[in-house]
Coordinates of all heavy atoms in Angstrom, one line a residue:
G25 N 0.8 -1.2 0.0 CA 0.0 0.0 0.0 C 0.8 1.3 0.0 O 0.7 2.1 -0.8
M26 N 1.8 1.4 0.9 CA 2.6 2.6 1.0 C 3.5 2.7 -0.2 O 3.8 3.8 -0.6 CB 3.3 2.7 2.4 CG 2.3 3.0 3.5 SD 3.1 3.0 5.1 CE 3.3 1.3 5.5
L27 N 4.1 1.6 -0.6 CA 4.9 1.6 -1.8 C 4.2 2.1 -3.0 O 4.6 2.9 -3.8 CB 5.6 0.3 -2.0 CG 6.5 0.2 -3.3 CD1 7.6 1.2 -3.2 CD2 7.0 -1.2 -3.5
T28 N 2.9 1.6 -3.1 CA 2.1 2.0 -4.3 C 1.9 3.5 -4.2 O 2.0 4.2 -5.2 CB 0.7 1.3 -4.2 OG1 0.9 -0.1 -4.2 CG2 -0.2 1.7 -5.4
H29 N 1.5 4.1 -3.1 CA 1.4 5.5 -2.9 C 2.7 6.3 -3.3 O 2.7 7.2 -4.0 CB 1.0 5.9 -1.5 CG -0.4 5.8 -1.2 ND1 -1.4 6.7 -1.7 CD2 -1.1 4.9 -0.4 CE1 -2.6 6.3 -1.3 NE2 -2.4 5.2 -0.5
H30 N 3.8 5.8 -2.8 CA 5.1 6.4 -3.1 C 5.3 6.4 -4.6 O 5.7 7.5 -5.2 CB 6.2 5.7 -2.4 CG 7.6 6.2 -2.7 ND1 8.0 7.4 -2.3 CD2 8.5 5.7 -3.5 CE1 9.3 7.6 -2.8 NE2 9.6 6.5 -3.5
L31 N 5.1 5.3 -5.3 CA 5.4 5.2 -6.8 C 4.5 6.2 -7.6 O 5.0 6.9 -8.4 CB 5.2 3.8 -7.3 CG 6.3 2.8 -6.8 CD1 6.0 1.4 -7.2 CD2 7.7 3.2 -7.4
I32 N 3.2 6.2 -7.3 CA 2.3 7.0 -8.0 C 2.5 8.5 -7.7 O 2.2 9.4 -8.6 CB 0.8 6.6 -7.9 CG1 0.3 6.7 -6.5 CG2 0.6 5.2 -8.5 CD1 -1.1 6.4 -6.3
Q33 N 3.0 8.8 -6.6 CA 3.3 10.2 -6.2 C 4.6 10.7 -6.9 O 4.7 11.8 -7.4 CB 3.5 10.4 -4.7 CG 2.2 10.2 -4.0 CD 2.4 9.9 -2.5 OE1 3.5 9.8 -2.0 NE2 1.3 9.8 -1.8
E34 N 5.6 9.8 -6.9 CA 6.9 10.2 -7.5 C 6.9 10.2 -9.0 O 7.8 10.8 -9.6 CB 8.0 9.3 -6.9 CG 8.2 9.5 -5.4 CD 8.7 10.9 -5.0 OE1 9.6 11.4 -5.7 OE2 8.2 11.4 -4.1
L35 N 6.0 9.4 -9.6 CA 6.0 9.2 -11.0 C 4.6 9.5 -11.6 O 3.9 8.7 -12.1 CB 6.4 7.8 -11.4 CG 7.8 7.3 -10.9 CD1 7.9 5.8 -11.0 CD2 8.9 8.0 -11.6
P36 N 4.2 10.8 -11.5 CA 2.8 11.1 -12.0 C 2.6 10.8 -13.4 O 3.5 11.0 -14.3 CB 2.7 12.6 -11.7 CG 3.9 13.0 -10.9 CD 4.9 11.9 -11.0
G37 N 1.5 10.1 -13.7 CA 1.1 9.8 -15.1 C 1.8 8.5 -15.6 O 1.4 8.1 -16.7
R38 N 2.7 7.9 -14.9 CA 3.3 6.7 -15.3 C 2.4 5.5 -15.3 O 2.5 4.6 -16.1 CB 4.6 6.4 -14.5 CG 5.4 5.2 -14.8 CD 6.2 5.3 -16.0 NE 7.1 6.4 -16.0 CZ 8.4 6.5 -15.7 NH1 8.9 5.4 -15.3 NH2 9.1 7.6 -15.8
F39 N 1.4 5.5 -14.4 CA 0.5 4.4 -14.2 C -0.9 4.8 -14.5 O -1.3 5.8 -14.2 CB 0.6 3.9 -12.7 CG 2.0 3.5 -12.3 CD1 2.8 4.4 -11.6 CD2 2.5 2.2 -12.6 CE1 4.0 4.0 -11.2 CE2 3.8 1.9 -12.2 CZ 4.5 2.8 -11.5
R40 N -1.6 3.9 -15.2 CA -3.0 4.2 -15.6 C -3.9 4.0 -14.3 O -5.0 4.7 -14.3 CB -3.5 3.2 -16.7 CG -2.7 3.3 -17.9 CD -3.1 4.4 -18.8 NE -4.5 4.2 -19.3 CZ -5.2 5.1 -19.8 NH1 -4.8 6.3 -19.8 NH2 -6.4 4.9 -20.1
A41 N -3.6 3.1 -13.4 CA -4.4 2.9 -12.2 C -3.6 2.4 -11.1 O -2.5 1.8 -11.4 CB -5.5 1.9 -12.6
A42 N -4.0 2.5 -9.9 CA -3.3 2.0 -8.7 C -4.4 1.6 -7.7 O -5.4 2.2 -7.6 CB -2.4 3.1 -8.1
A43 N -4.0 0.6 -6.9 CA -4.9 0.1 -5.9 C -4.2 -0.2 -4.6 O -3.9 -1.4 -4.3 CB -5.7 -1.2 -6.4
P44 N -3.8 0.8 -3.8 CA -3.1 0.6 -2.6 C -4.0 -0.2 -1.6 O -5.2 0.2 -1.5 CB -2.8 2.0 -2.0 CG -3.2 3.0 -3.1 CD -4.0 2.2 -4.1
T45 N -3.5 -1.2 -1.0 CA -4.3 -2.0 -0.1 C -3.7 -2.0 1.3 O -2.5 -2.3 1.5 CB -4.3 -3.5 -0.6 OG1 -4.7 -3.5 -1.9 CG2 -5.2 -4.4 0.2
F46 N -4.5 -1.5 2.3 CA -4.1 -1.4 3.7 C -2.8 -0.6 3.8 O -1.9 -0.9 4.5 CB -3.9 -2.8 4.3 CG -5.1 -3.6 4.3 CD1 -5.3 -4.6 3.4 CD2 -6.1 -3.3 5.2 CE1 -6.5 -5.4 3.4 CE2 -7.3 -4.1 5.2 CZ -7.4 -5.1 4.3
G47 N -2.7 0.5 3.1 CA -1.6 1.4 3.2 C -2.0 2.9 2.9 O -2.8 3.1 2.0
S48 N -1.4 3.8 3.7 CA -1.7 5.2 3.5 C -0.3 5.9 3.6 O 0.6 5.4 4.2 CB -2.6 5.8 4.6 OG -3.9 5.2 4.5
P49 N -0.2 7.1 2.9 CA 1.0 7.8 3.1 C 1.2 8.3 4.5 O 0.3 8.6 5.2 CB 0.8 9.1 2.2 CG -0.3 8.7 1.3 CD -1.2 7.8 2.1
L50 N 2.5 8.4 4.9 CA 2.8 9.0 6.2 C 2.4 10.5 6.2 O 2.5 11.1 5.1 CB 4.3 8.8 6.5 CG 4.7 7.4 6.9 CD1 6.2 7.3 7.0 CD2 4.1 6.9 8.1
L51 N 2.1 11.0 7.3 CA 1.7 12.4 7.4 C 2.8 13.3 6.8 O 4.0 13.1 7.2 CB 1.4 12.8 8.9 CG 0.7 14.1 9.1 CD1 -0.7 14.0 8.5 CD2 0.6 14.3 10.6
G52 N 2.5 14.1 5.9 CA 3.5 15.0 5.3 C 4.1 14.5 4.0 O 4.8 15.2 3.3
Y53 N 3.7 13.3 3.6 CA 4.3 12.7 2.4 C 3.2 12.4 1.3 O 3.3 11.6 0.5 CB 5.0 11.4 2.7 CG 6.3 11.6 3.5 CD1 6.3 11.6 4.8 CD2 7.5 11.7 2.8 CE1 7.4 11.8 5.5 CE2 8.6 11.8 3.5 CZ 8.6 11.9 4.9 OH 9.8 12.1 5.5
L54 N 2.2 13.2 1.3 CA 1.0 13.0 0.5 C 1.2 13.4 -1.0 O 0.7 12.8 -1.9 CB -0.2 13.7 1.0 CG -1.5 13.6 0.3 CD1 -1.9 12.1 0.2 CD2 -2.6 14.4 0.9
L55 N 2.0 14.5 -1.2 CA 2.0 15.0 -2.6 C 3.3 14.7 -3.3 O 3.5 15.3 -4.4 CB 1.9 16.6 -2.5 CG 0.5 17.0 -1.9 CD1 0.5 18.5 -1.7 CD2 -0.6 16.5 -2.7
G56 N 4.2 13.9 -2.8 CA 5.5 13.6 -3.4 C 6.6 14.4 -2.8 O 6.4 15.5 -2.2
S57 N 7.8 14.0 -3.0 CA 9.0 14.6 -2.4 C 9.2 16.0 -2.9 O 9.8 16.9 -2.2 CB 10.2 13.8 -2.6 OG 10.5 13.6 -4.0
E58 N 8.8 16.3 -4.2 CA 8.9 17.6 -4.7 C 7.5 18.2 -5.2 O 7.4 18.9 -6.1 CB 9.9 17.6 -5.9 CG 11.3 17.2 -5.5 CD 12.3 17.2 -6.6 OE1 12.0 17.7 -7.7 OE2 13.4 16.6 -6.4
Y59 N 6.5 17.8 -4.5 CA 5.1 18.2 -4.7 C 4.7 17.9 -6.1 O 3.9 18.7 -6.8 CB 4.9 19.7 -4.4 CG 5.3 20.0 -3.0 CD1 6.5 20.6 -2.7 CD2 4.5 19.7 -1.9 CE1 6.9 20.8 -1.3 CE2 4.8 20.0 -0.6 CZ 6.0 20.5 -0.3 OH 6.4 20.8 1.0
Q60 N 5.0 16.7 -6.6 CA 4.7 16.3 -8.0 C 3.2 16.3 -8.3 O 2.8 16.7 -9.4 CB 5.3 15.0 -8.3 CG 6.8 14.9 -8.4 CD 7.4 14.5 -7.1 OE1 7.0 15.0 -6.0 NE2 8.4 13.7 -7.1
L61 N 2.4 15.9 -7.3 CA 1.0 15.9 -7.6 C 0.4 17.2 -7.8 O -0.7 17.4 -8.5 CB 0.2 15.2 -6.4 CG 0.5 13.7 -6.3 CD1 -0.4 13.1 -5.2 CD2 0.4 12.9 -7.6
L62 N 1.0 18.3 -7.3 CA 0.6 19.6 -7.6 C 1.2 20.2 -8.9 O 0.6 20.7 -9.8 CB 0.8 20.6 -6.4 CG 0.1 20.3 -5.2 CD1 0.5 21.2 -4.1 CD2 -1.4 20.4 -5.4
A63 N 2.5 20.0 -9.0 CA 3.3 20.6 -10.1 C 3.0 19.9 -11.4 O 3.1 20.5 -12.4 CB 4.8 20.5 -9.8
Q64 N 2.7 18.6 -11.3 CA 2.4 17.9 -12.6 C 1.0 17.3 -12.5 O 0.7 16.2 -12.9 CB 3.4 16.8 -12.7 CG 4.8 17.3 -12.8 CD 5.8 16.1 -12.9 OE1 5.5 15.0 -13.3 NE2 7.0 16.4 -12.4
R65 N 0.0 18.2 -12.2 CA -1.4 17.8 -12.0 C -2.0 17.2 -13.3 O -2.7 16.2 -13.2 CB -2.2 19.1 -11.6 CG -3.6 18.8 -11.2 CD -3.5 18.3 -9.8 NE -4.9 18.0 -9.3 CZ -5.2 17.0 -8.6 NH1 -4.2 16.2 -8.1 NH2 -6.4 16.8 -8.2
D66 N -1.6 17.7 -14.4 CA -2.1 17.1 -15.7 C -1.7 15.7 -15.9 O -2.5 14.8 -16.3 CB -1.7 18.0 -16.9 CG -0.2 18.1 -17.0 OD1 0.5 18.2 -16.0 OD2 0.3 18.2 -18.2
L67 N -0.5 15.4 -15.5 CA 0.0 14.0 -15.6 C -0.6 13.1 -14.5 O -1.1 12.0 -14.8 CB 1.5 13.9 -15.5 CG 2.4 14.5 -16.6 CD1 3.8 14.5 -16.2 CD2 2.1 13.8 -17.9
A68 N -0.7 13.6 -13.3 CA -1.3 12.9 -12.2 C -2.7 12.5 -12.5 O -3.2 11.4 -12.0 CB -1.1 13.6 -10.9
S69 N -3.5 13.4 -13.2 CA -4.9 13.1 -13.4 C -5.1 11.9 -14.3 O -6.3 11.5 -14.4 CB -5.6 14.4 -14.0 OG -5.1 14.6 -15.3
R70 N -4.1 11.4 -14.9 CA -4.2 10.2 -15.8 C -4.3 8.9 -15.0 O -4.6 7.9 -15.6 CB -3.0 10.1 -16.7 CG -2.9 11.3 -17.7 CD -1.7 11.1 -18.6 NE -1.5 12.3 -19.3 CZ -0.4 12.5 -20.1 NH1 0.5 11.6 -20.1 NH2 -0.3 13.6 -20.8
T71 N -4.0 9.0 -13.7 CA -4.0 7.8 -12.9 C -5.3 7.7 -12.1 O -5.7 8.6 -11.4 CB -2.8 7.8 -11.9 OG1 -1.6 7.9 -12.6 CG2 -2.8 6.5 -11.0
S72 N -6.0 6.5 -12.2 CA -7.2 6.2 -11.4 C -6.8 5.5 -10.2 O -5.8 4.8 -10.2 CB -8.1 5.3 -12.2 OG -8.6 6.0 -13.4
L73 N -7.5 5.7 -9.1 CA -7.1 5.2 -7.8 C -8.3 4.6 -7.0 O -9.3 5.2 -7.0 CB -6.5 6.3 -6.9 CG -5.9 6.0 -5.6 CD1 -4.6 5.2 -5.7 CD2 -5.6 7.2 -4.8
I74 N -8.1 3.4 -6.5 CA -9.0 2.8 -5.6 C -8.2 2.4 -4.3 O -7.1 1.9 -4.5 CB -9.8 1.6 -6.1 CG1 -10.8 1.1 -5.1 CG2 -8.8 0.5 -6.6 CD1 -11.7 0.1 -5.6
Q75 N -8.7 2.8 -3.2 CA -7.9 2.5 -2.0 C -8.7 1.6 -1.0 O -9.9 1.9 -0.7 CB -7.6 3.9 -1.3 CG -6.6 3.8 -0.2 CD -6.0 5.1 0.2 OE1 -5.9 6.0 -0.6 NE2 -5.7 5.3 1.5
L76 N -8.1 0.5 -0.6 CA -8.8 -0.4 0.2 C -8.2 -0.5 1.7 O -7.0 -0.5 1.8 CB -8.7 -1.8 -0.4 CG -9.1 -1.9 -1.9 CD1 -8.8 -3.3 -2.4 CD2 -10.6 -1.6 -2.0
H77 N -9.1 -0.5 2.6 CA -8.8 -0.5 4.1 C -9.7 -1.4 4.8 O -10.9 -1.6 4.4 CB -8.8 0.9 4.7 CG -7.6 1.7 4.3 ND1 -6.4 1.7 4.9 CD2 -7.5 2.6 3.3 CE1 -5.6 2.6 4.3 NE2 -6.2 3.1 3.3
D78 N -9.3 -1.8 6.0 CA -10.2 -2.5 7.0 C -10.5 -1.4 8.0 O -9.6 -0.8 8.6 CB -9.5 -3.7 7.6 CG -10.3 -4.4 8.6 OD1 -11.4 -3.9 8.9 OD2 -9.8 -5.4 9.2
R79 N -11.8 -1.2 8.3 CA -12.2 -0.1 9.3 C -11.6 -0.4 10.7 O -11.5 0.5 11.5 CB -13.7 0.0 9.3 CG -14.2 0.6 8.0 CD -15.7 0.9 8.2 NE -16.2 1.6 7.1 CZ -16.4 2.9 7.1 NH1 -16.2 3.6 8.1 NH2 -16.9 3.6 6.0
S80 N -11.3 -1.6 11.0 CA -10.8 -1.9 12.3 C -9.3 -2.0 12.4 O -8.7 -2.3 13.5 CB -11.4 -3.2 12.9 OG -11.0 -4.3 12.0
D81 N -8.6 -1.6 11.3 CA -7.1 -1.7 11.3 C -6.6 -0.6 12.2 O -6.9 0.6 12.1 CB -6.7 -1.4 9.9 CG -5.2 -1.6 9.7 OD1 -4.5 -1.9 10.7 OD2 -4.7 -1.6 8.5
T82 N -5.7 -1.0 13.2 CA -5.1 0.0 14.1 C -3.6 0.2 13.7 O -3.0 1.1 14.2 CB -5.2 -0.5 15.5 OG1 -4.6 -1.7 15.7 CG2 -6.6 -0.5 16.0
T83 N -3.1 -0.7 12.8 CA -1.7 -0.5 12.4 C -1.6 0.6 11.4 O -0.7 1.5 11.5 CB -1.2 -1.8 11.7 OG1 -1.4 -2.9 12.6 CG2 0.3 -1.7 11.3
I84 N -2.5 0.7 10.4 CA -2.5 1.8 9.5 C -4.0 2.2 9.4 O -4.7 1.8 8.5 CB -2.0 1.5 8.1 CG1 -0.6 1.0 8.2 CG2 -2.1 2.7 7.1 CD1 0.0 0.4 6.9
P85 N -4.4 3.1 10.3 CA -5.8 3.4 10.4 C -6.3 4.2 9.2 O -5.7 5.2 8.8 CB -5.9 4.3 11.7 CG -4.6 4.7 12.0 CD -3.6 3.8 11.3
W86 N -7.5 3.9 8.6 CA -8.0 4.5 7.5 C -8.4 6.0 7.8 O -8.4 6.8 6.9 CB -9.2 3.8 6.9 CG -10.4 3.8 7.8 CD1 -10.7 2.9 8.8 CD2 -11.5 4.7 7.9 NE1 -11.8 3.2 9.5 CE2 -12.3 4.4 8.9 CE3 -11.7 5.9 7.2 CZ2 -13.5 5.1 9.2 CZ3 -12.9 6.6 7.5 CH2 -13.7 6.2 8.5
Q87 N -8.7 6.3 9.0 CA -9.0 7.7 9.4 C -7.8 8.5 9.7 O -7.9 9.7 10.1 CB -10.1 7.7 10.5 CG -9.5 7.2 11.9 CD -9.6 5.7 12.1 OE1 -9.5 4.9 11.2 NE2 -9.8 5.3 13.3
G88 N -6.6 7.9 9.5 CA -5.4 8.7 9.7 C -5.0 8.8 11.1 O -5.6 8.2 12.0
G89 N -4.0 9.7 11.4 CA -3.5 9.9 12.7 C -2.6 8.9 13.2 O -1.9 8.2 12.5
N90 N -2.6 8.7 14.6 CA -1.6 7.8 15.2 C -2.0 6.3 15.0 O -3.2 6.0 15.1 CB -1.7 8.0 16.8 CG -0.9 9.3 17.2 OD1 0.0 9.6 16.6 ND2 -1.5 9.9 18.2
S91 N -1.0 5.5 14.7 CA -1.2 4.1 14.5 C -0.9 3.4 15.9 O -0.3 4.1 16.8 CB -0.4 3.5 13.4 OG 1.0 3.6 13.8
S92 N -1.2 2.2 16.0 CA -0.9 1.4 17.2 C 0.6 1.3 17.5 O 1.0 1.1 18.6 CB -1.5 0.0 17.1 OG -1.0 -0.7 16.0
D93 N 1.5 1.5 16.4 CA 2.9 1.4 16.6 C 3.6 2.8 16.6 O 4.8 2.9 16.5 CB 3.6 0.5 15.6 CG 3.2 0.8 14.2 OD1 2.5 1.7 13.9 OD2 3.7 0.0 13.3
G94 N 2.8 3.9 16.6 CA 3.4 5.2 16.8 C 3.6 6.0 15.5 O 4.1 7.2 15.6
W95 N 3.3 5.5 14.4 CA 3.4 6.3 13.1 C 2.2 7.2 12.9 O 1.1 6.9 13.4 CB 3.6 5.4 11.9 CG 4.9 4.6 11.9 CD1 5.1 3.4 12.4 CD2 6.1 5.0 11.5 NE1 6.4 3.0 12.3 CE2 7.1 4.0 11.7 CE3 6.6 6.2 10.9 CZ2 8.4 4.1 11.4 CZ3 7.9 6.3 10.5 CH2 8.8 5.3 10.8
L96 N 2.4 8.3 12.2 CA 1.3 9.2 11.9 C 1.0 9.1 10.4 O 1.9 9.3 9.5 CB 1.7 10.7 12.2 CG 1.9 10.9 13.7 CD1 2.5 12.4 13.9 CD2 0.6 10.8 14.5
Y97 N -0.3 8.9 10.1 CA -0.7 8.7 8.7 C -1.7 9.7 8.2 O -2.5 10.3 9.0 CB -1.3 7.3 8.5 CG -0.4 6.2 8.7 CD1 -0.2 5.5 9.9 CD2 0.4 5.8 7.6 CE1 0.7 4.5 10.1 CE2 1.4 4.7 7.8 CZ 1.5 4.1 9.0 OH 2.4 3.1 9.2
E98 N -1.7 10.0 6.9 CA -2.7 10.8 6.3 C -4.1 10.1 6.4 O -4.1 8.9 6.4 CB -2.4 11.1 4.8 CG -1.1 11.9 4.6 CD -1.3 13.4 4.9 OE1 -2.5 13.8 5.3 OE2 -0.4 14.1 4.7
T99 N -5.2 10.8 6.3 CA -6.5 10.2 6.3 C -6.7 9.6 4.9 O -6.2 10.1 3.9 CB -7.6 11.2 6.6 OG1 -7.7 12.1 5.6 CG2 -7.4 11.8 8.0
M100 N -7.6 8.7 4.8 CA -8.0 8.1 3.5 C -8.7 9.2 2.6 O -8.4 9.3 1.4 CB -8.9 6.9 3.6 CG -9.2 6.3 2.3 SD -10.1 4.7 2.3 CE -11.7 5.2 3.0
G101 N -9.5 10.1 3.3 CA -10.1 11.2 2.6 C -9.1 12.1 1.9 O -9.3 12.5 0.8
R102 N -8.1 12.5 2.7 CA -7.0 13.4 2.1 C -6.3 12.7 1.0 O -5.9 13.3 0.0 CB -6.1 13.8 3.2 CG -6.6 15.0 4.0 CD -5.6 15.5 5.0 NE -4.3 15.8 4.4 CZ -3.7 17.0 4.3 NH1 -4.4 18.0 4.8 NH2 -2.6 17.1 3.7
S103 N -6.0 11.4 1.2 CA -5.2 10.6 0.2 C -6.0 10.6 -1.1 O -5.5 10.9 -2.2 CB -5.0 9.2 0.7 OG -4.1 9.2 1.8
L104 N -7.3 10.3 -1.0 CA -8.1 10.2 -2.2 C -8.4 11.6 -2.8 O -8.4 11.8 -4.0 CB -9.4 9.5 -2.0 CG -9.3 8.0 -1.6 CD1 -10.7 7.5 -1.2 CD2 -8.7 7.3 -2.8
G105 N -8.5 12.6 -1.9 CA -8.7 14.0 -2.3 C -7.6 14.5 -3.2 O -7.8 15.4 -4.0
A106 N -6.4 14.1 -2.9 CA -5.2 14.6 -3.7 C -5.3 14.1 -5.1 O -4.7 14.8 -6.0 CB -3.9 14.1 -3.1
W107 N -6.1 13.1 -5.4 CA -6.2 12.5 -6.7 C -7.5 13.0 -7.4 O -7.7 12.7 -8.6 CB -6.1 11.0 -6.7 CG -4.8 10.6 -6.3 CD1 -4.3 10.3 -5.0 CD2 -3.7 10.4 -7.1 NE1 -3.0 10.0 -5.1 CE2 -2.6 10.0 -6.3 CE3 -3.4 10.6 -8.5 CZ2 -1.3 9.8 -6.8 CZ3 -2.2 10.3 -9.0 CH2 -1.1 9.9 -8.2
A108 N -8.4 13.5 -6.7 CA -9.7 13.9 -7.2 C -9.6 15.1 -8.2 O -8.8 15.9 -8.1 CB -10.7 14.2 -6.1

């Protein structure tokens, strides 16, 4: 899941679709290392995204925030909103 997010953020337009499963970007890493999702919006818009989560997951919570092991994640809404 997180590797999928990383690849589609760093390489906008390279993939036609992506399906991250049980993974969200870490807080602050939503738009790519050089803000590619904003700077290359036309390329990024070529990628379709479906994101799958378990509502009871505490390791990578779909609602974002603190995980059970102390990491901070973006919310699923923000993750999908970056691609809308």
